[in-house]
Amino acid sequence: MKLYYAPGACSLASHIILVETGLPYSLEQVDLKAKTTADGRDYLKINPRGAVPALEISPGVVLTQNVAVLPYIGSRSENPAFRPAPHSLEHARLLEALGFCEDVHSAFGPLFAPDLPDVMRERILALITRRMKQVEAILTAGENGHLLPAGFTQADALLAVILSWAPHVNVDLSAYPRACALRDRVFARPAARKAMTEEGLA
């Protein structure tokens, strides 16, 4: 499998999970502004939406979107937490958790826009506060410091990556200690450290 990624973007979650599984993979960096790959190809011909991650499963067969890519990688692994039985409640809960992570992603994403008006930033911060309170409540209700009873899953990796953007957009997460602890535990994992190194972030 080949992962198309941008350093530190949400594709980092897929990178972490690939390392966690021990599955063979290769990497291709994408310039999201120019929409080109590191070898000069038009990225829009690989993923017409122009976003990462994109996972090339076989020549010409590409899967996109975190909610599809992360479960697909997990389904090829030997880790039960990554591959709950199809049609089970646990499988539905994993998809639910990934969908919620995308809600958090959508809250943070607009802050990367250049020249954001102050009034818009205030509205975005209000939404981030709402989502972060929801994250903290989920982690408080749980017993293991993770989003799901199974322990560390793809959803934790994705949430940790999203939360790692906070310093870059001047968002203070200190009011959410459980969320910060989850983020820190994920990035302390050997797989996360390896993925960060491979993306030039460590």
Side-chain angles (χ1 to χ4, degrees), residues 5 7-9 12 15-16 19 25 27 161 164 168 186-202:
Y5 77 98
L12 177 57
H15 194 170
I16 292 169
V19 179
Y25 65 91
L27 300 168
V161 170
S164 74
H168 303 287
V186 169
F187 281 104
R189 297 177 72 90
R193 294 199 298 270
K194 180 179 179 183
M196 293 278 284
T197 299
E198 289 181 343
E199 295 194 11
L201 300 170

Side-chain angles (χ1 to χ4, degrees), residues 137-160:
I138 291 169
L139 296 174
T140 299
E143 299 179 353
N144 61 7
H146 295 283
L147 291 172
L148 294 167
F152 176 72
T153 66
Q154 299 96 309
D156 295 308
L158 181 54
L159 181 61

Side-chain angles (χ1 to χ4, degrees), residues 38-58:
D39 61 4
R41 288 177 294 158
D42 180 357
Y43 183 58
L44 294 176
K45 292 184 178 178
I46 298 166
N47 179 6
R49 287 182 289 275
V52 291
L55 187 71
E56 188 173 59
I57 299 166
S58 60

Side-chain angles (χ1 to χ4, degrees), residues 107-191:
F108 275 89
L111 288 181
F112 287 95
D115 303 320
L116 189 68
D118 289 342
V119 64
M120 287 300 300
R121 180 175 174 83
E122 290 176 7
R123 292 176 183 174
I124 294 166
L125 290 175
L127 178 57
I128 289 174
T129 296
R130 176 186 170 200
R131 294 304 186 199
M132 289 307 304
K133 286 181 177 178
Q134 292 169 343
V135 170
E136 199 72 3
I138 291 169
L139 296 174
T140 299
E143 299 179 353
N144 61 7
H146 295 283
L147 291 172
L148 294 167
F152 176 72
T153 66
Q154 299 96 309
D156 295 308
L158 181 54
L159 181 61
V161 170
I162 295 165
L163 298 185
S164 74
W165 302 339
H168 303 287
V169 289
N170 297 317
V171 173
D172 181 8
L173 298 181
S174 60
Y176 314 104
R178 289 177 174 82
C180 292
L182 181 149
R183 176 201 60 202
D184 294 346
R185 283 196 306 275
V186 169
F187 281 104
R189 297 177 72 90

